[in-house]
mmCIF file of all heavy atoms in Angstrom:
data_model
loop_
_atom_site.group_PDB
_atom_site.id
_atom_site.type_symbol
_atom_site.label_atom_id
_atom_site.label_comp_id
_atom_site.label_asym_id
_atom_site.label_seq_id
_atom_site.Cartn_x
_atom_site.Cartn_y
_atom_site.Cartn_z
ATOM 1 N N ARG O 81 -30.075 10.354 -7.223
ATOM 2 C CA ARG O 81 -30.135 10.269 -8.701
ATOM 3 C C ARG O 81 -28.737 10.271 -9.304
ATOM 4 O O ARG O 81 -28.471 9.537 -10.226
ATOM 5 C CB ARG O 81 -30.951 11.444 -9.242
ATOM 6 C CG ARG O 81 -32.279 11.641 -8.499
ATOM 7 C CD ARG O 81 -33.071 12.726 -9.178
ATOM 8 N NE ARG O 81 -33.340 12.317 -10.553
ATOM 9 C CZ ARG O 81 -34.332 11.518 -10.899
ATOM 10 N NH1 ARG O 81 -35.153 11.064 -10.013
ATOM 11 N NH2 ARG O 81 -34.525 11.195 -12.157
ATOM 12 N N VAL O 82 -27.884 11.164 -8.782
ATOM 13 C CA VAL O 82 -26.482 11.212 -9.207
ATOM 14 C C VAL O 82 -25.666 10.915 -7.957
ATOM 15 O O VAL O 82 -25.452 11.777 -7.111
ATOM 16 C CB VAL O 82 -26.116 12.579 -9.792
ATOM 17 C CG1 VAL O 82 -24.681 12.566 -10.323
ATOM 18 C CG2 VAL O 82 -27.071 13.007 -10.892
ATOM 19 N N LYS O 83 -25.286 9.685 -7.819
ATOM 20 C CA LYS O 83 -24.750 9.180 -6.515
ATOM 21 C C LYS O 83 -23.268 9.545 -6.321
ATOM 22 O O LYS O 83 -22.507 9.469 -7.269
ATOM 23 C CB LYS O 83 -24.895 7.672 -6.430
ATOM 24 C CG LYS O 83 -26.329 7.200 -6.408
ATOM 25 C CD LYS O 83 -26.431 5.711 -6.294
ATOM 26 C CE LYS O 83 -27.866 5.261 -6.139
ATOM 27 N NZ LYS O 83 -28.768 5.709 -7.215
ATOM 28 N N TRP O 84 -22.950 9.905 -5.100
ATOM 29 C CA TRP O 84 -21.546 10.148 -4.763
ATOM 30 C C TRP O 84 -20.771 8.852 -4.870
ATOM 31 O O TRP O 84 -21.117 7.886 -4.220
ATOM 32 C CB TRP O 84 -21.416 10.724 -3.358
ATOM 33 C CG TRP O 84 -21.496 12.229 -3.406
ATOM 34 C CD1 TRP O 84 -22.560 12.992 -3.080
ATOM 35 C CD2 TRP O 84 -20.475 13.105 -3.885
ATOM 36 N NE1 TRP O 84 -22.253 14.314 -3.322
ATOM 37 C CE2 TRP O 84 -20.983 14.408 -3.809
ATOM 38 C CE3 TRP O 84 -19.162 12.918 -4.347
ATOM 39 C CZ2 TRP O 84 -20.225 15.521 -4.187
ATOM 40 C CZ3 TRP O 84 -18.434 14.038 -4.726
ATOM 41 C CH2 TRP O 84 -18.985 15.328 -4.651
ATOM 42 N N PHE O 85 -19.776 8.865 -5.696
ATOM 43 C CA PHE O 85 -19.040 7.615 -5.926
ATOM 44 C C PHE O 85 -18.229 7.202 -4.699
ATOM 45 O O PHE O 85 -18.231 6.046 -4.318
ATOM 46 C CB PHE O 85 -18.121 7.772 -7.158
ATOM 47 C CG PHE O 85 -17.461 6.485 -7.511
ATOM 48 C CD1 PHE O 85 -18.179 5.369 -7.914
ATOM 49 C CD2 PHE O 85 -16.085 6.352 -7.432
ATOM 50 C CE1 PHE O 85 -17.580 4.172 -8.222
ATOM 51 C CE2 PHE O 85 -15.447 5.157 -7.752
ATOM 52 C CZ PHE O 85 -16.217 4.067 -8.126
ATOM 53 N N GLU O 86 -17.533 8.151 -4.100
ATOM 54 C CA GLU O 86 -16.685 7.798 -2.980
ATOM 55 C C GLU O 86 -17.320 8.053 -1.592
ATOM 56 O O GLU O 86 -16.932 7.442 -0.599
ATOM 57 C CB GLU O 86 -15.290 8.430 -3.055
ATOM 58 C CG GLU O 86 -15.217 9.965 -3.000
ATOM 59 C CD GLU O 86 -15.445 10.626 -4.342
ATOM 60 O OE1 GLU O 86 -16.016 10.007 -5.254
ATOM 61 O OE2 GLU O 86 -15.012 11.798 -4.514
ATOM 62 N N PHE O 87 -18.296 8.970 -1.540
ATOM 63 C CA PHE O 87 -18.959 9.218 -0.249
ATOM 64 C C PHE O 87 -20.158 8.253 -0.091
ATOM 65 O O PHE O 87 -21.291 8.660 -0.209
ATOM 66 C CB PHE O 87 -19.463 10.654 -0.159
ATOM 67 C CG PHE O 87 -18.388 11.684 -0.176
ATOM 68 C CD1 PHE O 87 -18.259 12.548 -1.255
ATOM 69 C CD2 PHE O 87 -17.497 11.800 0.862
ATOM 70 C CE1 PHE O 87 -17.255 13.487 -1.309
ATOM 71 C CE2 PHE O 87 -16.481 12.750 0.839
ATOM 72 C CZ PHE O 87 -16.384 13.601 -0.261
ATOM 73 N N ARG O 88 -19.866 7.018 0.198
ATOM 74 C CA ARG O 88 -20.940 6.033 0.249
ATOM 75 C C ARG O 88 -21.877 6.258 1.440
ATOM 76 O O ARG O 88 -22.978 5.747 1.484
ATOM 77 C CB ARG O 88 -20.363 4.633 0.307
ATOM 78 C CG ARG O 88 -19.549 4.252 -0.936
ATOM 79 C CD ARG O 88 -20.449 3.997 -2.154
ATOM 80 N NE ARG O 88 -19.646 3.955 -3.383
ATOM 81 C CZ ARG O 88 -19.145 2.851 -3.933
ATOM 82 N NH1 ARG O 88 -19.349 1.675 -3.390
ATOM 83 N NH2 ARG O 88 -18.435 2.930 -5.025
ATOM 84 N N ALA O 89 -21.401 7.049 2.419
ATOM 85 C CA ALA O 89 -22.225 7.288 3.615
ATOM 86 C C ALA O 89 -23.562 7.932 3.227
ATOM 87 O O ALA O 89 -24.540 7.802 3.951
ATOM 88 C CB ALA O 89 -21.481 8.188 4.599
ATOM 89 N N LEU O 90 -23.569 8.626 2.102
ATOM 90 C CA LEU O 90 -24.815 9.300 1.681
ATOM 91 C C LEU O 90 -25.824 8.313 1.091
ATOM 92 O O LEU O 90 -27.009 8.591 1.019
ATOM 93 C CB LEU O 90 -24.516 10.402 0.671
ATOM 94 C CG LEU O 90 -23.739 11.600 1.209
ATOM 95 C CD1 LEU O 90 -23.457 12.600 0.106
ATOM 96 C CD2 LEU O 90 -24.475 12.306 2.352
ATOM 97 N N ASN O 91 -25.373 7.160 0.654
ATOM 98 C CA ASN O 91 -26.254 6.110 0.126
ATOM 99 C C ASN O 91 -25.863 4.782 0.750
ATOM 100 O O ASN O 91 -25.478 3.836 0.047
ATOM 101 C CB ASN O 91 -26.132 6.012 -1.410
ATOM 102 C CG ASN O 91 -26.361 7.347 -2.105
ATOM 103 O OD1 ASN O 91 -25.443 8.080 -2.357
ATOM 104 N ND2 ASN O 91 -27.595 7.607 -2.428
ATOM 105 N N PRO O 92 -25.943 4.670 2.097
ATOM 106 C CA PRO O 92 -25.334 3.501 2.778
ATOM 107 C C PRO O 92 -25.950 2.165 2.374
ATOM 108 O O PRO O 92 -25.276 1.154 2.431
ATOM 109 C CB PRO O 92 -25.589 3.788 4.255
ATOM 110 C CG PRO O 92 -26.677 4.772 4.291
ATOM 111 C CD PRO O 92 -26.637 5.549 3.025
ATOM 112 N N ASP O 93 -27.227 2.169 1.993
ATOM 113 C CA ASP O 93 -27.858 0.885 1.740
ATOM 114 C C ASP O 93 -27.859 0.479 0.254
ATOM 115 O O ASP O 93 -28.511 -0.488 -0.112
ATOM 116 C CB ASP O 93 -29.332 0.924 2.272
ATOM 117 C CG ASP O 93 -29.353 1.334 3.726
ATOM 118 O OD1 ASP O 93 -28.462 0.879 4.463
ATOM 119 O OD2 ASP O 93 -30.237 2.119 4.099
#
Side-chain angles (χ1 to χ4, degrees):
R81 311 185 61 83
V82 183
K83 295 181 174 56
W84 270 103
F85 186 63
E86 64 274 23
F87 296 113
R88 298 286 167 94
L90 294 178
N91 305 91
D93 306 321

